[in-house]
Amino acid sequence: MTTRTRILTGITTTGTPHLGNYAGAIRPAILASEDANADSFYFLADYHALIKCDDPQRIQRSRMEIAATWLAGGLDVNRVTFYRQSDIPEIPELTWLLTCVAAKGLLNRAHAYKASVDKNVENGEDPDAGISMGLYSYPVLMAADILMFNAHKVPVGRDQIQHVEMARDIGQRFNHLFGNGKEFFTMPEALIEESVATLPGLDGRKMSKSYDNTIPLFTSAKDMKDAISRIVTDSRAPGEAKDPDNSHLFTLYQAFATKAQEAQFRGELLEGLGWGEAKNRLFQLLDGQLGEARERYHQLMARPSDMEDLLQVGAKKARAVAAPFLAKLREAVGLRSFVNQDNFTISNSKKKAAKSSRILSFREGDSFRFRVLAADGSPLLLSSEFADGKKAGAVIKQLQSGQTLDIRTEAYGFNVWLDGECVAESSAFYVDAAQRDAGIEALRVALTPIED
Ligand code: TRP
């Protein structure tokens, strides 16, 4: 069985995406999501946005604009899990579990926090002036985003590499403290797209909102044209040879052109194409490639309830993964039901003595359930809820009868079936197929009748 790669990335919802965001992050992410061997999780990091912005209108507008940009850009929501961070209550819950194991000293070293402190000190202010706990804990929330879905690859800009490393650090610590030899969390890796050029802005510096040198992406053809007309060029007149390699207008063209278009444009510049005409060519190229998406963008923005529906579906998909996983993590740290005391009993008195696998029956509300534990006390199987104890007993008996077990795998877990009915599910969390299969093997061993 091939293991699929889980790709996850968040987009902080402040601001309106511009051409540089599109070429640098959005377009490559949409392309990556088309890989048949990848499962992509892309989300609007709107809790992160609150750290930097206390203007509700701006938060709301940006969430919509960013959602519409990704959708208009061709993101296929049937293939990708596309959601808003704030629709997943499991994320702040996991954030707290991680906050309790994250070392304060680790967070002291975060670049974003340190930069704010340095600036305060420089200005002769209190080191922590204006720094919220949100800013300070930013990397823990980001770790929860990543670890919640056991992402393998996290495409980010260079400034975020440290945060991904912190996610590893925090995840590892949690694994070590609560994993009991198992790894709850997969270790994520930052993915830096070397081949994606950062686009230059109108003045030749990196295109960025903070330099006020951006080319708008989907607002309107006119806005795009106006911005392009403001691209700074040298003063060579029409007819004079231009130097494509020292022209950021050419760099911009390159980022969207085919090799053939690029070669042609280069030739024309060398032959003295005027800058006005060159700007026209750039506009034609961009408009040709982005015009249709711009239409879609405006349609989406005009029907917010359609987007809301899509995002609700995304949230549902994401929560189907997050909720059962979080339940296991809560269990691991000791946030368990009072009704089901078996773990307590085992760890306190019987665990060390237990030499063979065991089956523990217990009541939960009005129903009857049981667990199968391996010889080392680790949970292997949790039964469904049965209305009466007799039924539960009969199922246990059948499972131990030595008959061939009907075990069906499902993602990284498995179910046990009897007479056309699913009677139990795996209770451990497995991070990959190999671990799951080992769990199935352990269950077979545990349920093999002992002959002595
Ligand atoms: N901090 C990231 C940024 O500003 C956004 C983000 C939030 C993120 N959570 C994430 C990116 C999880 C990758 C994975 O770019």
Side-chain angles (χ1 to χ4, degrees):
M1 193 191 236
T2 55
T3 2
R4 302 172 60 79
T5 307
R6 277 188 302 276
I7 306 178
L8 176 142
T9 198
I11 313 108
T12 307
T13 53
T14 42
T16 305
H18 54 67
L19 196 70
N21 301 134
Y22 178 75
I26 303 170
R27 185 173 58 178
I30 292 175
L31 281 175
S33 75
E34 286 161 9
D35 179 345
N37 291 317
D39 287 326
S40 308
F41 292 79
Y42 295 159
F43 66 95
L44 307 179
D46 46 5
Y47 279 139
H48 278 104
L50 295 181
I51 295 169
K52 303 180 192 162
C53 173
D54 58 8
D55 174 353
Q57 242 92 55
R58 199 168 137 219
I59 294 278
Q60 174 67 337
R61 190 173 1 103
S62 171
R63 291 159 94 228
M64 279 180 59
E65 287 174 350
I66 292 178
T69 301
W70 283 70
L71 294 168
L75 188 73
D76 178 356
V77 293
N78 294 316
R79 190 186 265 279
V80 174
T81 307
F82 186 55
Y83 56 98
R84 286 177 295 218
Q85 184 186 34
S86 64
D87 282 336
I88 317 296
E90 288 78 12
I91 288 174
E93 217 176 322
L94 177 57
T95 302
W96 184 252
L97 301 191
L98 298 178
T99 300
C100 294
V101 303
K104 178 167 180 287
L106 180 76
L107 296 175
N108 286 341
R109 291 197 290 276
H111 299 321
Y113 167 70
K114 272 196 356 200
S116 300
V117 170
D118 290 350
K119 211 164 131 204
N120 281 333
V121 171
E122 219 172 90
N123 298 337
E125 303 221 43
D126 183 272
D128 279 332
I131 298 177
S132 68
M133 282 307 293
L135 176 66
Y136 188 70
S137 308
Y138 184 111
V140 189
L141 177 57
M142 184 158 157
D145 290 332
I146 297 170
L147 298 174
M148 184 91 257
F149 297 100
N150 279 306
H152 298 111
K153 304 272 181 211
V154 183
V156 282
R158 293 197 170 279
D159 60 325
Q160 300 291 319
I161 297 178
Q162 188 196 31
H163 294 151
V164 179
E165 278 163 7
M166 288 184 168
R168 297 169 65 93
D169 212 300
I170 297 168
Q172 213 152 30
R173 185 137 166 179
F174 188 99
N175 279 344
H176 177 72
L177 286 170
F178 302 111
N180 238 325
K182 278 202 288 279
E183 309 262 300
F184 282 110
F185 297 126
T186 303
M187 289 301 115
E189 259 177 66
L191 193 68
I192 307 294
E193 265 284 12
E194 300 291 352
S195 64
V196 175
T198 20
L199 287 193
L202 303 179
D203 56 0
R205 289 184 294 173
K206 177 186 168 190
M207 191 182 293
S208 159
K209 209 176 56 174
S210 40
Y211 294 149
D212 196 20
N213 65 355
T214 63
I215 295 177
L217 180 60
F218 288 150
T219 48
S220 70
K222 179 171 183 304
D223 284 356
M224 184 178 260
K225 202 171 197 153
D226 289 349
I228 289 172
S229 73
R230 294 197 309 275
I231 293 176
V232 177
T233 58
D234 61 29
S235 53
R236 280 177 229 191
E240 265 183 85
K242 312 291 185 297
D243 178 4
D245 297 314
N246 281 308
S247 153
H248 53 276
L249 190 151
F250 183 73
T251 311
L252 284 163
Y253 191 93
Q254 230 174 356
F256 291 87
T258 61
K259 286 281 161 233
Q261 287 171 318
E262 179 189 327
Q264 161 138 21
F265 193 49
R266 173 187 288 279
E268 287 177 319
L269 287 170
L270 289 170
E271 281 163 24
L273 186 74
W275 285 125
E277 190 44 40
K279 288 176 177 179
N280 220 346
R281 300 279 167 90
L282 175 60
F283 173 73
Q284 294 305 336
L285 178 76
L286 292 178
D287 196 53
Q289 272 183 38
L290 300 168
E292 262 175 49
R294 184 197 301 129
E295 284 288 303
R296 282 198 294 275
Y297 174 85
H298 287 287
Q299 280 165 12
L300 286 157
M301 288 299 281
R303 286 201 308 267
S305 70
D306 290 0
M307 277 202 284
E308 181 68 33
D309 290 347
L310 288 179
L311 287 164
Q312 291 297 342
V313 172
K316 212 164 153 199
K317 275 206 284 190
R319 293 193 70 193
V321 179
F325 188 31
L326 186 72
K328 280 164 185 153
L329 300 173
R330 287 177 60 99
E331 170 110 12
V333 300
L335 303 175
R336 303 169 190 160
S337 161
F338 283 177
V339 180
N340 166 12
Q341 292 273 339
D342 52 312
N343 291 303
F344 180 73
T345 323
I346 302 157
S347 55
N348 277 278
S349 58
K350 302 198 187 132
K351 188 172 181 178
K352 291 190 185 76
K355 288 197 184 65
S356 57
S357 57
R358 296 166 334 127
I359 297 189
L360 284 168
S361 304
F362 60 93
R363 283 191 73 142
E364 198 172 88
D366 288 337
S367 50
F368 295 80
R369 308 185 81 168
F370 61 86
R371 262 181 217 283
V372 179
L373 305 173
D376 66 358
S378 59
L380 294 170
L381 194 71
L382 174 66
S383 80
S384 315
E385 298 180 11
F386 300 105
D388 63 278
K390 261 200 218 136
K391 170 81 202 258
V395 169
I396 293 176
K397 214 162 168 178
Q398 262 185 291
L399 291 180
Q400 289 183 309
S401 68
Q403 74 182 66
T404 310
L405 297 169
D406 179 359
I407 300 178
R408 306 183 191 177
T409 59
E410 198 185 282
Y412 296 155
F414 55 83
N415 297 315
V416 177
W417 289 66
L418 268 183
D419 306 326
E421 192 191 343
C422 177
V423 294
E425 58 172 27
S426 47
S427 51
F429 177 74
Y430 304 108
V431 296
D432 58 28
Q435 277 201 19
R436 177 201 60 208
D437 293 345
I440 293 178
E441 196 41 47
L443 178 69
R444 289 191 199 282
V445 171
L447 291 174
T448 303
I450 301 164
E451 300 138 41
D452 51 8

